[in-house]
Amino acid sequence: MSAPLRMWCLRHAESENVTAALAGALPNAPLTAHGREQALRTAHTLAGEPISNVYASPARRALETARPLATAINLQVEPVPELVEIGIGQHDGSSDPAVRARTAEVLRAWVVDGRLDERVADGETGHEVLARTTTALQRIAGRHEGETVAVVGHVGSLTLALSRLCSLGASVWGAPLPHAEPFLVEWDDGGWNCPAWPA
């Protein structure tokens, strides 16, 4: 039996795309001032953990969230392209409330109803998001048997992947991941386990 992996997962801290109500992956959106404070608090919260690696989506807001933690424990952040947020194609960066509503509708279809063929416009299907995010998490787990790592990602892609991997299903719907709040995910020969989904 393999030694269990402990993975501290979190959504990035508050970012300007969120406060501006912009939809999409938006890779260049920075953290707000409040988000930078949240990232520092996360670093303080996890500083006592025996973290061997810090991984993050290559989106600016995820990297800016991860860096204070990595710096505090003398590590570098390792970007993982597959951890990016859900792609919504031609609508990326839209401030149209209808696009945001459609994005939420699609995520609900994936998480609650299991309808992974749904997509926003010419964006990704749930099959594509689930496959790439799951591949990233499983690759990280395979590299760190018996260790503790930190992973900074996004609300949509992390919710879809972890709700499936941990067999949480629709129970996570209505409890969106808060900004910069770490929660523990475990992996061993028995599979994936999320002891507590943050409310």
Side-chain angles (χ1 to χ4, degrees), residues 78-94:
E78 185 171 335
V80 181
E82 296 89 350
L83 291 176
V84 295
E85 184 56 299
I86 296 165
I88 61 171
Q90 63 187 335
H91 292 312
D92 195 63
S94 174

Side-chain angles (χ1 to χ4, degrees), residues 23-127:
L26 293 163
N28 296 316
L31 295 183
T32 62
H34 180 55
R36 291 191 291 274
E37 292 173 0
Q38 289 177 324
L40 289 171
R41 283 199 298 272
T42 296
H44 178 75
T45 298
L46 294 179
E49 290 288 325
I51 293 171
S52 60
N53 282 78
V54 178
Y55 294 96
S57 154
R60 179 176 173 181
R61 58 194 181 277
L63 294 173
E64 288 181 355
T65 301
R67 282 184 187 125
L69 171 61
T71 299
I73 54 180
N74 297 312
L75 294 173
Q76 296 293 317
V77 180
E78 185 171 335
V80 181
E82 296 89 350
L83 291 176
V84 295
E85 184 56 299
I86 296 165
I88 61 171
Q90 63 187 335
H91 292 312
D92 195 63
S94 174
S95 60
D96 184 346
V99 172
R100 295 198 303 279
R102 173 59 180 160
T103 303
E105 180 183 84
V106 167
L107 184 58
R108 187 187 190 284
W110 295 347
V111 174
V112 176
D113 304 322
R115 293 187 286 116
L116 299 180
D117 290 332
E118 294 283 326
R119 68 173 81 204
V120 179
D122 57 338
E124 294 179 287
T125 67
H127 295 290

